[in-house]
Amino acid sequence: MVFMDWREWQSVCFNTHVVAHYSHGTTCGWCSLLLFFVCFLVSKPLTGSEQFLILGSDGVWDHMTNEEAVALTAKYDTPQAASHAIVKEARKRWMQRGGGYIDDVTAVVVFLK
């Protein structure tokens, strides 16, 4: 197993080896050890009517809609309990629909009011 500081990982991945494979649509053993990610950032001004913010990994959103996560969060009095409930529900759905595979499931809930 290889452990690297993120700065080393960035240097190795994006500046050399992996970029060459990615641009040609090929992979190798080294590439399969690395985690690839794409972040989607959206900026939206708050109106003041928002009650909470839900941040979730793709493991949450692959099996749960925004509306389902909001409805689940609204049932809880603390962000910790809401986060736990989202993760528990997403993992349950991965178990039912994921064919034995469970992706990373991470949720952070911030109460705004």
Side-chain angles (χ1 to χ4, degrees), residues 50-103:
E50 297 85 358
Q51 296 180 11
F52 43 77
L53 171 68
I54 303 170
L55 303 171
S57 66
D58 63 331
V60 170
W61 307 121
D62 285 347
H63 291 290
M64 187 176 290
T65 67
N66 294 346
E67 294 77 17
E68 290 170 328
V70 166
L72 194 55
T73 298
K75 295 179 182 180
Y76 293 91
D77 294 328
T78 67
Q80 295 85 357
S83 298
H84 180 75
I86 290 170
V87 168
K88 185 176 178 180
E89 180 62 24
R91 287 185 54 80
K92 181 178 99 178
R93 292 179 185 194
W94 270 101
M95 297 274 290
Q96 293 169 345
R97 305 174 194 163
Y101 172 77
I102 299 177
D103 196 8

Side-chain angles (χ1 to χ4, degrees), residues 6-93:
W6 72 270
R7 289 173 292 271
E8 295 173 292
W9 182 86
Q10 182 181 28
S11 175
V12 169
C13 292
F14 294 108
N15 296 333
T16 57
H17 182 79
V18 175
V19 170
H21 281 293
Y22 183 75
S23 65
H24 292 94
T26 62
T27 59
C28 69
W30 173 248
C31 295
S32 66
L33 293 174
L34 301 174
L35 172 66
F36 290 92
F37 62 90
V38 176
C39 288
F40 297 98
L41 299 176
V42 177
S43 176
K44 182 179 175 185
L46 299 178
T47 65
S49 64
E50 297 85 358
Q51 296 180 11
F52 43 77
L53 171 68
I54 303 170
L55 303 171
S57 66
D58 63 331
V60 170
W61 307 121
D62 285 347
H63 291 290
M64 187 176 290
T65 67
N66 294 346
E67 294 77 17
E68 290 170 328
V70 166
L72 194 55
T73 298
K75 295 179 182 180
Y76 293 91
D77 294 328
T78 67
Q80 295 85 357
S83 298
H84 180 75
I86 290 170
V87 168
K88 185 176 178 180
E89 180 62 24
R91 287 185 54 80
K92 181 178 99 178
R93 292 179 185 194

